[in-house]
Amino acid sequence: MSTGEDLEDLPGVGPATAEKLKDNGFDNYQGIAVASPGELSNTADIGESSAADIINAARDAADIGGFESGSTVLERREQIGKLTWGVDEVDDLLGGGVETQSITEVYGEFGAGKSQVTHQLAVNVQLPSEYGGLEGSCIFIDSEDTFRPERIDDMLRGLPDDAIEAAMVTHEVVEEEADADAGDDDLLEDLLEAFLDKIHVAKAFNSNHQILLAEKAQEIAGESQDGEFPVRLLCVDSLTAHFRAEYVGRGELADRQQKLNKHLHDLMRVGDLNNTAVVVTNQVAANPDSFFGDPTQPIGGNILGHTSTFRIYLRKSKADKRIVRLVDAPNLADGEAVMRVKGEGLKAE
């Protein structure tokens, strides 16, 4: 990413250190400014004292770390994008859609439709803004072997004709002045290829690899910001599967939560620095102490609960019907919406 910022201008950063920082995704002052001394020390093989000096210099240069007025915060929040689910009732529940610069957690039992949500959002994020998209690309970290290109094809074909025609123009499948035909199979095949090219998929083989992929995602997202279709969506499906399988029992709980906490903050950094929506799916477990109501609880404990900006509980109903419940949000009331998971994607009730 070309930022116009020379890392070697920071005190204590020579050519070799600058190269190590860039190789690990720290290619601008802002990214360094929000790092911890320990993180920078491990990345660049320098002492923590030197790392702290570099971070402080980057904070001064990037004007990060001070207080700001509420009106400045409001101005920055006006840059936040809203990504549609493609279901009006759910978008209304979420205040317009999935927010960028936030982590949205979608949890539910097996078969509730969590992976369907991530696939649909990977399609919708590429749509023009007038159709609820962000005209951006997607990074998909797949820990449960859930990503299916065929599902992207189904959901793309399930979009309204006018949305497909508009996407053909933005993806340069047809020229702007040409008449797009949403029913033309050859054009749809070209459009599918264009959509799939803008979904960066990586399969995570274990929790350490998943953490590494989140760091790599920051690098990809940063490099994309000056180009067409910058990364506007990061999906992790599922966030907790590997952590749950590898750290078993109470004796392992502290280590698991510590690693999960670091992973979540890496994801949060991608969202904050690149105006990207972060959507993670989560598994559930039954709470045997619950005598009333739904006994299912999301995995991850308080660390995930506090880090997720929005928490959404997805549960099965009759046939293809799903209940979408907003459990927690900083500025929205709790509530429920209904949608259907159909062959052509997420649809209104």
Side-chain angles (χ1 to χ4, degrees), residues 38-303:
E39 190 177 8
L40 218 60
S41 172
N42 293 332
T43 296
D45 293 329
I46 55 177
E48 286 207 18
S49 176
S50 299
D53 291 341
I54 294 170
I55 289 168
N56 287 331
R59 285 175 178 169
D60 291 340
D63 194 21
I64 284 178
F67 290 94
E68 55 190 5
S69 69
S71 58
T72 304
V73 175
L74 178 61
E75 187 178 325
R76 192 173 67 250
R77 280 194 59 78
E78 287 171 353
Q79 306 303 313
I80 287 175
K82 301 273 191 174
L83 172 59
T84 182
W85 276 50
V87 180
D88 289 344
E89 193 179 347
V90 178
D91 286 343
D92 291 343
L93 183 69
L94 298 178
V98 177
E99 275 195 6
T100 60
Q101 300 180 38
S102 296
I103 294 180
T104 299
E105 175 197 358
V106 180
Y107 69 88
E109 62 184 0
F110 174 79
K114 303 183 296 294
S115 296
Q116 303 298 319
V117 171
T118 55
H119 281 70
Q120 187 72 66
L121 293 175
V123 170
N124 293 352
V125 72
Q126 300 188 45
L127 296 175
S129 56
E130 58 265 33
Y131 295 96
L134 299 173
E135 292 187 42
S137 58
C138 169
I139 295 174
F140 198 110
I141 298 176
D142 182 1
S143 71
E144 294 190 271
D145 193 26
T146 54
F147 181 77
R148 294 292 182 272
E150 301 88 348
R151 199 70 188 107
I152 300 295
D153 188 9
D154 294 339
M155 290 176 168
L156 182 58
R157 293 173 187 271
L159 293 172
D161 285 352
D162 54 344
I164 293 176
E165 290 167 5
M168 285 180 180
V169 174
T170 57
H171 285 70
E172 298 181 351
V173 172
V174 296
E175 294 182 10
E176 194 146 1
E177 59 273 11
D179 288 330
D181 181 359
D184 188 317
D185 276 344
D186 289 339
L187 287 178
L188 280 172
E189 287 297 326
D190 291 343
L191 185 61
L192 173 64
E193 185 176 345
F195 265 66
L196 290 173
D197 281 347
K198 293 173 182 64
I199 304 174
H200 312 274
V201 185
K203 186 174 180 180
F205 294 101
N206 53 50
S207 62
N208 285 329
H209 187 215
Q210 186 171 321
I211 289 169
L212 184 66
L213 289 174
E215 295 170 358
K216 182 68 176 176
Q218 168 55 38
E219 185 180 331
I220 295 171
E223 289 172 351
S224 76
Q225 295 306 305
D226 294 333
E228 287 187 291
F229 288 90
V231 171
R232 289 287 176 259
L233 175 66
L234 168 58
C235 291
V236 185
D237 187 17
S238 91
L239 177 76
T240 50
H242 285 315
F243 292 92
R244 187 182 189 183
E246 294 167 25
Y247 295 88
V248 181
R250 290 188 180 276
E252 300 280 336
L253 185 60
D255 287 342
R256 183 188 83 173
Q257 294 302 87
Q258 189 175 15
K259 289 186 74 172
L260 186 59
N261 189 36
K262 181 200 181 301
H263 184 43
L264 283 164
H265 281 83
D266 287 341
L267 297 174
M268 193 185 300
R269 180 182 298 162
V270 177
D272 287 344
L273 296 183
N274 303 287
N275 196 22
T276 296
V278 180
V279 176
V280 301
T281 68
N282 191 10
Q283 300 176 342
V284 296
N287 177 12
D289 298 330
S290 177
F291 294 102
F292 303 101
D294 194 331
T296 54
Q297 288 186 331
I299 301 299
N302 289 333
I303 282 178

